[in-house]
């Protein structure tokens, strides 16, 4: 299951780098693409702005198939305060830009499954694929606007997983 | 030892893409699809002459062929089966309204509503049209060169039909697709352009040249072809003409495998109808999407491989590394 989660994150990170290389985050002293997995970082007291945060929530499995199918629900959370130059008055526009960006990152709706426990990452036999995203209503907290999008990710368990 | 294959469960897909190609009605020649040579084509760039009609919804196909047991003995018991009828139906909905999707989903001929000449008598298929103009030398499938005075009739955003004058011919008319079957000579000189599939959108007009947003399906204007503006389309419930097309439906599945359904001959099996679906099902909003419903009956071809009469070919191209 971890390989599928890693592959999904890796695909979105690669696509984000190509789509909007200026969306970055300074994390643990390193400048990285502006997308991260919440459970792979130190706990946040406040999620960072202008960054996509992947949060793994639901899990299901169908074990009656030739290969066990695993379904994992990913909640992608993002928020923005707008820019200082506009005094935050552009926060709605920046949230729209992130909406469009995440929609573009999710297409195509599949990626090759990779094993990231080895260096370089090894290509596995199957693909990871996902459903259409479901956007939640925007939430405003003081000067911050955000929303999340839920995506169900599917994969087949391979030998050794 | 690392396993180099996986046991693939049933294919999983999100949607179906449709491609159509015209059957040559005069020679009754369908377009055949070769899964060996063409099976892995890019879904956005189908091999010629297939026309991409985009994603479709509610794709459903059903064999209605019947078999009967051949009985023998006392008491009678089945000795073997014989196929008594060979029939298949399919239906789906188009997500877009275009000349081609409308034509395919209507049971009869589909016509262009030509721009009306001033003062003409009204008609349900469109009033008598403004005179057609002749493309000049240098015209191509994507640009039409016109005399300066003629070009003034068109502007960016105009729709055009390009085909020959009707001169009393009977039989199938229209290029590159037969748009109608004329049983007896008619009097409308614009009739072929009323039924032709050779239509396009003008994206710009400069110095007497119409630049088209997409190439004319029939390519550069043929000798004798003329151009006429149109304002829309009209079809009728009734009539005797049936659309007939070769069709291809492709399901690209989650592991890269492909399911391809190839019907060499499909005829529309029902009159024009639409399906309404609410855009906002949660809040029951009033906005509704109008989709074109299409129903077809498959007609047989004789497979040259072994002389068998068949209606459809289903091809499956497995995923890489999948156990078969």
């Amino acid at each position: 299951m971890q390989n599928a989660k890693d592959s999904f994150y890796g695909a979105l990170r690669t696509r984000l780098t190509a789509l909007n290389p200026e969306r970055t985050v300074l994390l643990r002293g390193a400048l990285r693409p502006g997308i991260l997995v919440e459970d792979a970082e130190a706990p946040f007291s406040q999620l960072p702005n202008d960054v996509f945060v992947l949060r793994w929530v639901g899990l299901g499995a169908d074990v009656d198939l030739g290969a066990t199918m695993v379904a994992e629900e990913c909640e992608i959370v993002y928020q923005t305060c707008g820019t200082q130059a506009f005094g935050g008055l552009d926060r709605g526009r920046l949230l729209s830009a992130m909406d469009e960006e995440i929609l573009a990152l999710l297409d195509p709706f599949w990626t090759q499954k990779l094993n990231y426990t080895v260096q370089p990452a090894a290509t596995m036999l199957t693909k990871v694929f996902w459903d259409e995203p479901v956007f939640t209503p925007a939430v405003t907290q003081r000067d911050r606007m955000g929303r999340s999008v839920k995506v169900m990710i599917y994969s087949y368990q391979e030998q050794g997983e | 030892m690392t396993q180099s294959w996986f046991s693939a469960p049933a294919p999983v897909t999100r949607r179906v893409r449709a491609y159509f190609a015209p059957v040559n009605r005069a020679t009754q020649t369908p377009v055949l699809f070769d899964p060996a040579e063409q099976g892995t084509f890019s879904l956005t760039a189908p091999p010629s002459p297939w026309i991409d009609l985009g994603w479709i919804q509610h794709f459903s196909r059903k064999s209605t062929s019947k078999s009967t047991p051949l009985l023998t003995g006392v008491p009678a018991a089945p000795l073997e089966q014989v196929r008594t009828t060979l029939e298949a139906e399919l239906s789906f909905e188009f997500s877009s309204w275009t000349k081609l999707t409308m034509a395919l989903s209507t049971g009869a001929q589909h016509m262009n509503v030509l721009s009306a000449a001033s003062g003409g008598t009204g008609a349900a298929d469109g009033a008598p049209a403004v005179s057609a103009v002749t493309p000049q030398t240098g015209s191509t499938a994507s640009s039409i060169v016109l005399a300066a005075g003629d070009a003034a009739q068109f502007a960016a955003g105009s729709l055009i039909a390009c085909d020959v004058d009707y001169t009393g011919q009977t039989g199938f008319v229209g290029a590159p697709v037969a748009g109608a079957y004329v049983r007896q000579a008619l009097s409308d000189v614009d009739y072929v352009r009323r039924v032709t599939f050779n239509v396009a959108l003008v994206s710009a007009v400069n110095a007497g040249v119409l630049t088209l947003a997409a190439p004319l399906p029939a390519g550069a204007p043929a000798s004798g072809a003329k151009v006429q503006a149109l304002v829309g389309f009209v079809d009728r419930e009734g009539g005797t003409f049936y659309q007939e097309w070769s069709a291809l439906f492709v399901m690209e599945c989650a592991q890269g495998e492909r399911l391809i359904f190839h019907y060499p001959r499909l005829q529309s099996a029902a009159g024009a109808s639409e399906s309404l679906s609410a855009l906002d099902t949660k809040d029951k909003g009033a906005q509704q999407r109008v989709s074109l419903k299409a129903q077809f009956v498959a007609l047989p071809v004789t497979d040259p491989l072994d002389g068998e009469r068949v209606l459809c070919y289903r091809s499956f191209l497995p995923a890489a590394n999948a156990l078969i």
Side-chain angles (χ1 to χ4, degrees):
Chain A
M1 300 178 193
Q2 190 59 49
N3 289 325
K5 294 198 283 190
D6 291 345
S7 302
F8 179 70
Y9 164 66
L12 264 55
R13 188 182 58 185
T14 304
R15 294 174 189 181
L16 177 61
T17 306
L19 182 70
N20 182 7
E22 292 177 0
R23 187 173 299 288
T24 55
V25 58
L26 188 64
L27 209 59
R28 287 181 274 128
L31 192 65
R32 298 167 28 181
I35 184 167
L36 56 90
V37 180
E38 187 179 41
D39 61 24
E41 304 294 341
F44 294 103
S45 56
Q46 170 71 55
L47 291 180
N49 290 332
D50 305 305
V51 170
F52 297 107
V53 179
L54 274 59
R55 181 180 288 158
W56 293 101
V57 284
L59 176 66
D62 186 344
V63 297
D64 296 328
L65 301 171
T68 297
M69 175 187 269
V70 176
E72 292 161 295
E73 189 181 29
C74 183
E75 183 180 26
I76 304 170
V77 185
Y78 50 97
Q79 56 189 10
T80 181
C81 291
T83 60
Q84 284 190 346
F86 286 93
L89 300 183
D90 55 351
R91 59 189 182 282
R93 304 180 79 83
L94 292 195
L95 188 68
S96 286
M98 295 188 82
D99 294 340
E100 290 170 21
E101 230 166 75
I102 195 65
L103 203 54
L105 296 183
L106 291 168
D107 191 7
F109 288 60
W110 63 273
T111 190
Q112 183 64 48
K113 195 174 180 183
L114 298 170
N115 179 356
Y116 285 94
T117 62
V118 294
Q119 283 291 337
T123 301
M124 300 183 75
L125 297 173
T126 59
K127 294 179 170 66
V128 178
F129 54 101
W130 51 90
D131 249 331
E132 273 85 354
V134 178
F135 288 86
T136 62
V139 175
T140 303
Q141 287 182 315
R142 301 169 69 91
D143 59 344
R144 185 174 286 112
M145 275 188 85
R147 80 162 86 242
S148 67
V149 54
K150 290 188 175 176
V151 188
M152 191 65 84
I153 289 95
Y154 301 94
S155 63
Y156 293 110
Q157 291 290 93
E158 296 186 29
Q159 186 193 37
E161 286 194 296
Chain B
M1 187 179 126
T2 307
Q3 195 167 284
S4 60
W5 50 266
F6 70 99
S7 175
V12 174
T13 192
R14 292 172 53 237
R15 47 194 181 174
V16 184
R17 196 150 181 141
Y19 305 87
F20 281 76
V23 171
N24 185 325
R25 303 298 296 273
T27 61
Q28 294 193 323
T29 308
V31 175
L32 296 180
F33 177 78
D34 180 344
E37 291 187 336
Q38 302 172 313
T40 56
F41 73 91
S42 163
L43 293 189
T44 54
S48 178
W50 294 98
I51 302 165
D52 182 7
L53 291 184
W55 304 109
I56 56 172
Q57 297 176 316
H58 308 305
F59 175 73
S60 167
R61 67 189 206 105
K62 186 170 75 171
S63 166
T64 49
S65 299
K66 292 184 177 63
S67 297
T68 300
L70 199 61
L71 304 178
T72 184
V74 179
L79 177 68
E80 57 185 30
Q81 284 195 102
V82 290
R83 205 178 296 278
T84 52
T85 62
L86 188 59
E87 295 174 276
E89 301 167 352
L90 75 151
S91 62
F92 56 86
E93 290 175 11
F94 285 113
S95 304
S96 61
W97 285 58
T98 66
K99 166 73 183 174
L100 200 46
T101 59
M102 280 189 75
L104 285 162
S105 58
T106 190
Q109 71 204 59
H110 187 258
M111 293 178 282
N112 307 313
V113 179
L114 301 177
S115 292
S118 60
T121 307
D125 305 318
V130 291
S131 298
V133 297
T134 305
Q136 306 295 305
T137 306
S139 296
T140 68
S142 301
S143 65
I144 307 287
V145 181
L146 296 176
D150 294 340
Q153 297 180 26
F154 304 92
S158 295
L159 302 170
I160 60 161
C162 180
D163 215 318
V164 295
D165 281 344
Y166 178 76
T167 53
Q169 60 267 47
T170 54
F172 292 106
V173 295
V177 181
Y181 186 86
V182 181
R183 291 172 173 270
Q184 55 192 15
L186 307 170
S187 58
D188 183 2
V189 70
D190 299 320
Y191 184 76
V192 179
R193 285 181 292 275
R194 288 192 191 279
V195 298
T196 187
F197 283 78
N198 203 30
V199 297
L201 169 69
V202 176
S203 60
V205 181
N206 285 311
V209 178
L210 311 186
T211 302
L212 305 181
L216 287 164
S223 173
K226 292 182 180 176
V227 174
Q228 220 159 3
L230 61 102
V231 298
F233 308 109
V234 61
D235 53 36
R236 305 175 295 194
E237 179 71 33
T240 55
F241 181 73
Y242 284 92
Q243 300 282 340
E244 184 175 322
W245 293 75
S246 299
L248 197 62
F249 303 96
V250 181
M251 295 179 180
E252 188 153 62
C253 303
Q255 297 304 315
E257 66 270 51
R258 268 193 188 180
L259 272 168
I260 302 170
F261 304 97
H262 170 39
Y263 289 85
R265 297 178 65 204
L266 277 186
Q267 281 198 354
S268 35
S273 65
E274 302 82 29
S275 164
L276 301 179
S277 56
L279 289 185
D280 185 355
T281 52
K282 184 180 160 195
D283 297 322
K284 296 185 171 54
Q287 298 284 4
Q288 294 187 313
R289 175 180 291 116
V290 186
S291 300
L292 287 165
K293 289 180 74 171
Q295 296 178 65
F296 297 94
V297 60
L299 304 181
V301 293
T302 301
D303 192 329
L305 179 68
D306 52 10
E308 295 278 14
R309 292 171 76 222
V310 298
L311 300 173
C312 170
Y313 296 83
R314 179 178 68 179
S315 307
F316 176 55
L317 307 182
N321 307 311
L323 200 59
I324 56 171

